[in-house]
Structure formats: structure tokens, C-alpha cells
Amino acid sequence: ELELRALSVHYISTTFLEHARTVGKGDSTCVYDIEEDVLRGMGLHMRCPRDGRPGSAYVDTVDGADNVGQATHMLSYTWGYAVKDIAEALSVWVERSALDPKRTYVWMCCTCVNQHRVKEKQRKREVVPFEDFQGIFEGRVRHIGKVIALMMPWHAPAYLGRSWCMYEMFTAISSE
């Protein structure tokens, strides 16, 4: 299913990280910094397989079983985290969990949601009702079944200061 397509930890920690480094601020490049050039830029000239319109999600620009597949996990995080930190945390987690990084596929909103459509709605000043986000997110949590909450830095995680992240945590716990 296209909606559950996700990047492998292997791809995130190699190619995706390299894309972020080349357009951003090196190792401190956060997700916000790569939104235009990487997250939207990579799919700018591709047709979206979901709606057939120009502009696709980043995940749709990737192929090969070592790089992309059906999500095995969902990452709950903030766009303020450095891409390098996200990639390293996932790599360490996969290693400690004895999982194959080429077969562990992580659904991340920044790469799996079509950011072209998000920007279109923003330009039109369209507000997406919370209930729409709620339904989509709860469906993904149910289908994927495993949520990884990334909390950094350990002494004061930015994650805990974001209400949407708390909602994701609540939904994951409530779905068990």
C-alpha cells in the first residue's frame, strides 16, 4: 500500500543523510532546513502515484528493496531534530534490536507525506481539521503497529514540549 511506504534505516543513514548534508548546514541540518530542497525538491518533477499530479513525496523517489518498503515502524519525532541525530539514533536502535537495517522501514511524516500538497494547502490558507489528521494518524499507527518515540536531548527532550508529539504518544499507547 502506497500510504505505508517507508524508507529503510539503511537508506536514512546513508543516502538521505547525504542529501541533507549537501543542501543544509552539515551535521546540524534539521528537518526544517531540508524541506524545500530535499523533501520537496527530490520529487518536484515526478508525478505523485497517489493523486497523479506533479510533485511527489520523497519516499516515492526511492526504489529498491534495500531502500524502501512497507513500514515496519513509525517514527514520532520533531522537525527540529538534526537529520544526523535521527539517522544515528535509528542506526543504533536497529543494531541494539538485532534488526536488519535494510529491512527495517521507518515511516516518517517528513518523507512519507507529500510535502507538495501540504504547501499547496498552506498557500491557499486551507486549514486541515484536527479530525482529519487524527483519522489518518490513528490508521497509520494501527496498520504499522510499532511507534518509535525519539527524544533528544535526553536531559530535556524537545519532543516532550510539542503537543502533537504527546498526542502521537497517547495514540500509540491507547492503540495497544
Side-chain angles (χ1 to χ4, degrees):
E1 183 178 327
L2 287 174
E3 296 304 322
L4 298 177
R5 207 160 184 257
L7 301 176
S8 71
V9 171
H10 163 74
Y11 184 89
I12 293 166
S13 62
T14 57
T15 307
F16 182 67
L17 180 57
E18 189 55 35
H19 287 162
R21 284 180 171 148
T22 59
V23 302
K25 305 171 192 164
D27 286 346
S28 65
T29 302
C30 72
V31 176
Y32 287 117
D33 296 330
I34 65 168
E35 189 272 331
E36 182 177 357
D37 294 329
V38 176
L39 300 176
R40 282 189 293 132
M42 294 297 290
L44 183 62
H45 302 292
M46 287 186 64
R47 189 158 301 283
C48 176
R50 290 164 193 78
D51 62 18
R53 295 171 43 215
S56 69
Y58 182 96
V59 72
D60 297 323
T61 70
V62 179
D63 59 9
D66 289 348
N67 303 319
V68 67
Q70 290 297 295
T72 57
H73 298 80
M74 174 184 271
L75 183 66
S76 182
Y77 67 108
T78 82
W79 279 37
Y81 287 157
V83 176
K84 176 183 178 274
D85 291 340
I86 293 169
E88 285 180 358
L90 288 171
S91 294
V92 168
W93 171 75
V94 161
E95 184 178 330
R96 289 183 181 169
S97 301
L99 297 170
D100 181 350
K102 292 181 178 181
R103 296 297 175 265
T104 304
Y105 305 105
V106 180
W107 192 95
M108 300 187 301
C109 63
C110 70
T111 59
C112 299
V113 170
N114 189 330
Q115 299 304 320
H116 296 279
R117 302 304 169 260
V118 172
K119 282 295 180 189
E120 286 172 8
K121 288 181 186 287
Q122 288 175 345
R123 280 193 291 275
K124 294 177 184 176
R125 300 193 191 282
E126 290 180 17
V127 176
V128 179
F130 172 76
E131 292 76 20
D132 290 357
F133 279 121
Q134 180 182 26
I136 292 167
F137 180 73
E138 287 176 0
R140 296 242 165 73
V141 170
R142 274 194 307 280
H143 282 96
I144 297 170
K146 297 174 185 155
V147 177
I148 305 162
L150 183 57
M151 298 191 200
M152 297 184 301
W154 184 249
H155 65 279
Y159 182 96
L160 297 176
R162 298 194 37 91
S163 57
W164 182 257
C165 292
M166 292 294 86
Y167 173 72
E168 289 181 347
M169 178 75 72
F170 169 78
T171 303
I173 292 168
S174 300
S175 296
E176 290 185 359

